[in-house]
Amino acid sequence: MSQSLPTIGVDASRSFGGGRTGTEHYATAITRQLIRLAPGSMRLYFRTAPVETPPPGTDVLVLPAPRLWTHIRLASEVARRPPAVLFIPAHVMPLFCRPPAVVTVHDLGYEHFPETHPAMSRAYLRWTTRRHVRHAAYLVADSQATKDDLVDLYGASPDRVRVVLLAPDAHLAPPSPEDVARVRHLQGLPPDAPYLLHVGTLQPRKNLPRLLAAFAALKDDHPELRLVMAGMRGWGHEDLAGLAWRLGIADSVCWTGYLPHDLLAALYGGATALAMPSLYEGFGLPVVEAMACGTPVLCSGTSSLPEAAGGAALLVDPLKIDAIAAGLRRLVEDADLRAQLRGRGLMRAAKLSWESSARQVLQVLTAVTDGR
């Protein structure tokens, strides 16, 4: 397969690094699989040397630049020695891009909930998305919800947008009791206390004030219950700890900060449920990661989350604290419901793989190189 493929360039500036969030994890997982599917055809462009060494069978170029890396350094490199197509999995197109480009658009949540993004960030996202719709050869969307947004809000041609769902990592599986006990100890959780888990950067679109308020509504009946918040601090996180104090639940909330994936698997597996009532998600990777670890999931019934869940999660209205609290209560108190969601979640996660996702992306890339 690789012998018949021309060179495919990949903006790897957000791949194979440390401290990855969802988009960086996607970029790394997709790129890793593309290299495996088309060895010898991939040329990876980095701004700095990658933390993790990419798999063999690829051309790695480190292009250092103090600023304007995308629009000057990367643009000049692909103009001087253009690949047949440039894939941008988690970043933006150069202003002047000589080869045709395929860009992944992860979400347009800033259009639905503008107050959850800083003003400068909103302006930049609108500008870059508009450019991608106008100038990219193809767009890849994480979900049908994101594709619909691109078509409805930005006038993208449906024929130029391909939906490619995300996937849990292949190694994710229900963890052993020993692994769960180890991660509990590392995070200072009591050995037998049940806990609900949220995974994601602490930022407004995650709807965390309502999640904290919903959790507080359970505490009188379940004083032993904990809420574990796993994720790095993002914009707008500042008052969450203060809110927990005002709600009287500060001693029951564990803030882990960013956790590597090897610890997350055990944290998922030990949780009573994953709670992800986000205002908006382009896909919601923790939903399928939790399912792969055998953890029941509660998530919003809006944006892309029903697609990610695939009928295997308890869906709630993210704007209603009472609805989130009622859903959490059902999961805490109903062992039969948890068992049902666990089984359905494992089946849902098994239907998704990064290899399948990468094959679909590769189809798009080869369609561009073939002039289709």
Side-chain angles (χ1 to χ4, degrees):
M1 183 178 184
S2 62
Q3 297 302 314
S4 62
L5 286 179
T7 298
I8 296 172
V10 179
D11 175 351
S13 59
R14 297 190 178 182
S15 304
F16 301 101
R20 295 194 291 262
T21 59
T23 53
E24 291 88 3
H25 189 76
Y26 164 88
T28 302
I30 284 287
T31 303
R32 191 184 300 278
Q33 289 296 325
L34 287 173
I35 294 168
R36 194 181 70 80
L37 293 171
S41 297
M42 298 293 157
R43 181 182 298 158
L44 273 55
Y45 305 101
F46 291 92
R47 180 173 181 169
T48 58
V51 175
E52 297 178 20
T53 303
T58 183
D59 184 12
V60 173
L61 296 181
V62 179
L63 311 171
R67 58 184 64 87
L68 295 176
W69 180 82
T70 301
H71 302 303
I72 295 179
R73 192 69 176 89
L74 177 61
S76 62
E77 174 61 31
V78 298
R80 183 180 68 85
R81 191 163 61 118
V85 61
L86 178 65
F87 176 47
I88 303 167
H91 199 35
V92 299
M93 285 178 61
L95 274 172
F96 304 100
C97 189
R98 180 176 176 184
V102 172
V103 183
T104 297
V105 178
H106 292 283
D107 77 84
L108 279 75
Y110 58 90
E111 295 288 7
H112 295 273
F113 295 93
E115 70 279 6
T116 65
H117 294 72
M120 289 297 293
S121 176
R122 290 199 307 272
Y124 183 69
L125 288 167
R126 285 171 178 151
W127 174 70
T128 56
T129 303
R130 196 173 293 115
R131 285 196 66 250
H132 295 157
V133 168
R134 290 176 179 173
H135 300 295
Y138 265 93
L139 300 173
V140 174
D142 287 354
S143 62
Q144 184 64 43
T146 297
K147 177 176 179 176
D148 291 345
D149 280 346
L150 286 167
V151 173
D152 296 341
L153 301 177
Y154 285 83
S157 169
D159 294 339
R160 290 178 48 243
V161 185
R162 176 71 179 271
V163 175
V164 178
L165 301 182
L166 279 59
D169 287 350
H171 73 272
L172 289 177
S176 68
E178 293 76 17
D179 285 341
V180 172
R182 181 171 65 92
V183 79
R184 278 180 174 273
H185 176 72
L186 288 173
Q187 298 306 320
L189 292 168
D192 299 319
Y195 64 90
L196 301 169
L197 174 65
H198 178 271
V199 175
T201 301
L202 307 182
Q203 56 185 336
R205 70 181 177 91
K206 299 298 184 179
N207 202 25
L208 301 180
R210 289 189 180 93
L211 174 58
L212 290 171
F215 175 73
L218 303 182
K219 284 298 293 178
D220 286 344
D221 294 331
H222 298 278
E224 77 290 353
L225 189 65
R226 301 291 194 273
L227 175 61
V228 177
M229 307 288 277
M232 68 177 65
R233 297 179 177 183
W235 174 80
H237 77 278
E238 290 82 2
D239 196 43
L240 290 174
L243 176 59
W245 276 106
R246 293 192 294 275
L247 290 168
I249 57 173
D251 291 341
S252 297
V253 180
C254 173
W255 310 89
T256 73
Y258 176 82
L259 290 179
H261 261 63
D262 59 336
L263 291 181
L264 265 183
L267 201 62
Y268 278 129
T272 299
L274 177 79
M276 196 166 180
S278 303
L279 295 174
Y280 194 95
E281 294 284 348
F283 180 78
L285 190 55
V287 167
V288 294
E289 291 181 338
M291 289 177 176
C293 296
T295 302
V297 172
L298 174 144
C299 64
S300 302
T302 58
S303 67
S304 65
L305 287 166
E307 287 180 68
L314 183 62
L315 304 181
V316 298
D317 184 339
L319 298 179
K320 296 180 178 179
I321 295 172
D322 289 349
I324 300 170
L328 295 176
R329 183 178 295 277
R330 288 185 64 194
L331 286 170
V332 169
E333 297 178 355
D334 190 340
D336 289 339
L337 175 61
R338 293 198 303 272
Q340 181 185 66
L341 291 178
R342 171 186 167 90
R344 284 155 56 184
L346 287 167
M347 288 190 291
R348 169 58 174 164
K351 294 178 180 178
L352 303 169
S353 73
W354 285 117
E355 179 182 346
S356 174
S357 300
R359 286 189 184 279
Q360 295 173 68
V361 170
L362 188 59
Q363 289 173 0
V364 174
L365 295 171
T366 54
V368 173
T369 63
D370 292 344
R372 291 184 274 127

